[in-house]
Amino acid sequence: MYCWRTDCVSIRCQSTILVIFEINPFAHPISMKKLALLPLLLFASILFAQQRLPVIKATSKNVTIKDGDYLDKNAWNLSPKARPDIFTADRTRKTKWVTFYTDIDSIKVKVKPGTIFNFVVVLNGNDSCYTRIVSAIPPKELTKNNVAVNDTIPFTLTAFNAISVQAIINGTDTLKMHFDASSFDFRLTRDAILKKTKLLSNQPDALAGKTTPDYNKLNKVFTLQMGNKVWSNPQIFITRVTSNEMDGRFGWNLFEGKQVEIDYDRLLLIIHSALPKALKGYVRSKMEFARSFPYIKGTFEVANKKYTGNFLMDTGSDEAIILDSAWVSEQNFPHDLKLIRSLVVRDPRGVKYETRVVLFPYFKVNGFGVANTPTLLLGSKNPVGFGINFLGNDLLKRFNMILDFENDYVYLKPNKFRSVKYKEGSSG
């Protein structure tokens, strides 16, 4: 706000700054012009001051993060080299708090869709670690197209139920990657990087066995193409886990704000910028998210009892249904189901776990029922680190799907695979 007096200019703003300039009405016109610029320069300085980043302190690189209700100890390592180091909060459309706890300080940030918050962690009084907290859901203007656009990606359904897509990196390197709706980002195996790409800086010597491959220093990926969809400057991560015979995988978050149609009848992935209008035969249900993993509800029915749970859509798995051991115990799941097979495995400590595959008489998802479904009962801790069940692609492939990552719905429609035998031998 500007407050004028006859003999001075008083410039006030919402900050505590108060500056008064004395005006000489007989000053030279050039001097008056210079003076006229001072409020603008001061305003710019005030804006800069208002944008100064919040600062917290640390004497250890280890940071604990509370993301909503989930507390992850030592989840973050401070990096002075990253400018900024970006933490993506778990996906939700609700407003929540994200708190960073260093060993001596903390900062609490309100996060909602579209949030971008920058701050600095000063490590040991010397190193400035520029940090950014972002919502998993970006601002709408970054994901929404005014013109409807569809990208088509052909795929093959492998013998292991993987949705296999040809990917071309930098216009030269061809790989096989599978779409996994319970995964994130682009991920390649070390073997694929070494033998099928030119991404290693020491590639010739590494292939010849003269040196150890340095997977921490990959050459830049300028483009990654699948069908007529091209990503520019995508980030590539390393993975040890893929479907059989695959070089890597790609996850659902690459299509945030869009609709992913999986047409098993025509073997096409179609990425829509708007929900398709031809939805005859599809049944819709709400898609929820746990730790950024998309899941839907499913119900087992047997002996006049129902067991309803949450199920990740694991299109990278060749199983039909996988049940979390804690959920099975909490639900008092039936113990007299027909046993198909069992397997005893040991963890690194030598502790034994029995994994069983049983035949469940009836399972229902999105209003569609499937009979005699092979169901794997985990005998160890859930691999994602929290209690949830899985629908694998031996079941999901029986439905054409539309995953609506703009409005958070799942659409299912039975397809030609509805009645084919499961890999364990029973019919659908």
Side-chain angles (χ1 to χ4, degrees):
M1 179 176 67
Y2 295 93
C3 298
W4 294 89
R5 298 208 313 252
T6 57
D7 58 346
C8 71
V9 179
S10 176
I11 304 172
R12 293 183 177 90
C13 66
Q14 290 180 348
S15 73
T16 58
I17 297 174
L18 173 63
V19 181
I20 298 177
F21 299 102
E22 184 177 351
I23 297 180
N24 180 356
F26 303 104
H28 192 279
I30 295 179
S31 299
M32 291 296 291
K33 287 180 181 179
K34 288 181 179 179
L35 184 59
L37 289 174
L38 283 173
L40 295 177
L41 294 174
L42 178 62
F43 184 66
S45 297
I46 292 170
L47 282 179
F48 180 79
Q50 288 176 341
Q51 291 178 353
R52 285 179 183 171
L53 302 180
V55 176
I56 62 173
K57 299 176 181 179
T59 61
S60 168
K61 286 188 174 183
N62 295 328
V63 175
T64 293
I65 299 176
K66 187 176 183 182
D67 187 344
D69 295 327
Y70 184 78
L71 182 69
D72 195 352
K73 295 183 177 180
N74 297 325
W76 188 262
N77 288 316
L78 296 173
S79 175
K81 293 182 179 180
R83 287 177 172 262
D85 204 359
I86 300 174
F87 172 78
T88 303
D90 285 337
R91 188 188 190 280
T92 179
R93 295 195 181 277
K94 299 177 182 178
T95 299
K96 64 177 177 178
W97 292 97
V98 173
T99 307
F100 271 52
Y101 299 94
T102 71
D103 58 332
I104 59 173
D105 210 345
S106 67
I107 187 169
K108 187 176 182 180
V109 179
K110 184 180 286 188
V111 176
K112 60 183 180 180
T115 291
I116 300 175
F117 183 86
N118 297 311
F119 64 101
V120 179
V121 184
V122 178
L123 180 61
N124 295 322
N126 296 314
D127 295 325
S128 294
C129 305
Y130 291 87
T131 309
R132 176 176 295 166
I133 297 174
V134 300
S135 165
I137 302 175
K140 276 193 174 182
E141 58 267 23
L142 297 182
T143 60
K144 198 61 186 171
N145 248 329
N146 292 327
V147 179
V149 176
N150 299 332
D151 294 308
T152 303
I153 305 174
F155 70 84
T156 58
L157 190 63
T158 73
F160 301 97
N161 290 315
I163 300 171
S164 175
V165 171
Q166 178 179 277
I168 302 174
I169 291 179
N170 292 338
T172 58
D173 304 333
T174 302
L175 303 99
K176 290 188 295 184
M177 301 181 70
H178 68 95
F179 175 58
D180 188 348
S182 64
S183 183
F184 308 92
D185 309 308
F186 293 109
R187 300 180 182 272
L188 297 177
T189 65
R190 285 176 168 83
D191 191 61
I193 290 172
L194 176 63
K195 298 177 181 178
K196 295 188 177 183
T197 76
K198 302 178 185 66
L199 297 181
L200 286 173
S201 56
N202 59 350
Q203 194 105 21
D205 289 340
L207 276 172
K210 296 178 181 179
T211 186
T212 302
D214 187 354
Y215 295 101
N216 294 319
K217 295 181 180 179
L218 296 182
N219 295 327
K220 185 173 178 59
V221 175
F222 294 97
T223 60
L224 192 153
Q225 181 173 357
M226 298 178 180
N228 65 349
K229 174 68 175 174
V230 179
W231 286 266
S232 298
N233 304 312
Q235 191 171 4
I236 303 295
F237 297 90
I238 307 296
T239 184
R240 296 178 184 274
V241 180
T242 64
S243 181
N244 289 45
E245 300 175 353
M246 295 291 104
D247 299 316
R249 65 182 193 272
F250 59 105
W252 73 265
N253 63 319
L254 299 168
F255 310 106
E256 178 63 73
K258 300 185 183 300
Q259 290 77 24
V260 179
E261 181 179 355
I262 309 176
D263 189 332
Y264 290 97
D265 287 320
R266 297 188 294 162
L267 299 178
L268 291 176
L269 279 176
I270 306 172
I271 315 304
H272 300 273
S273 61
L275 186 66
K277 294 181 179 180
L279 296 175
K280 184 178 180 180
Y282 282 96
V283 173
R284 186 182 79 168
S285 69
K286 190 64 180 173
M287 177 167 53
E288 306 284 351
F289 287 80
R291 302 299 319 280
S292 293
F293 291 91
Y295 71 85
I296 55 177
K297 298 283 186 182
T299 301
F300 292 97
E301 297 181 11
V302 62
N304 295 320
K305 291 185 178 181
K306 295 183 179 181
Y307 306 86
T308 298
N310 300 328
F311 293 81
L312 298 187
M313 293 168 287
D314 190 358
T315 56
S317 169
D318 65 343
E319 301 290 342
I321 301 177
I322 303 172
L323 297 185
D324 178 75
S325 56
W327 183 82
V328 168
S329 177
E330 291 167 1
Q331 294 285 322
N332 293 318
F333 212 63
H335 296 282
D336 57 351
L337 298 170
K338 179 182 177 182
L339 179 67
I340 297 176
R341 62 181 173 90
S342 63
L343 176 68
V344 176
V345 296
R346 289 180 172 85
D347 69 10
R349 299 169 299 166
V351 178
K352 294 181 180 179
Y353 298 97
E354 182 184 20
T355 298
R356 297 182 298 138
V357 179
V358 299
L359 195 66
F360 207 96
Y362 193 75
F363 178 75
K364 203 169 186 179
V365 59
N366 269 41
F368 297 110
V370 288
N372 299 321
T373 309
T375 303
L376 189 151
L377 308 180
L378 287 175
S380 58
K381 289 184 178 180
N382 198 306
V384 296
F386 60 94
I388 200 160
N389 306 307
F390 301 81
L391 299 181
N393 220 32
D394 200 16
L395 184 144
L396 292 174
K397 72 180 182 184
R398 299 159 196 277
F399 302 93
N400 289 345
M401 305 171 62
I402 298 175
L403 306 175
D404 182 356
F405 295 117
E406 180 183 12
N407 305 295
D408 297 349
Y409 287 101
V410 173
Y411 298 78
L412 298 184
K413 180 174 73 172
N415 61 30
K416 65 182 181 183
F417 293 105
R418 177 69 183 273
S419 300
V420 301
K421 286 188 177 181
Y422 291 97
K423 73 167 192 171
E424 297 289 352
S426 65
S427 59

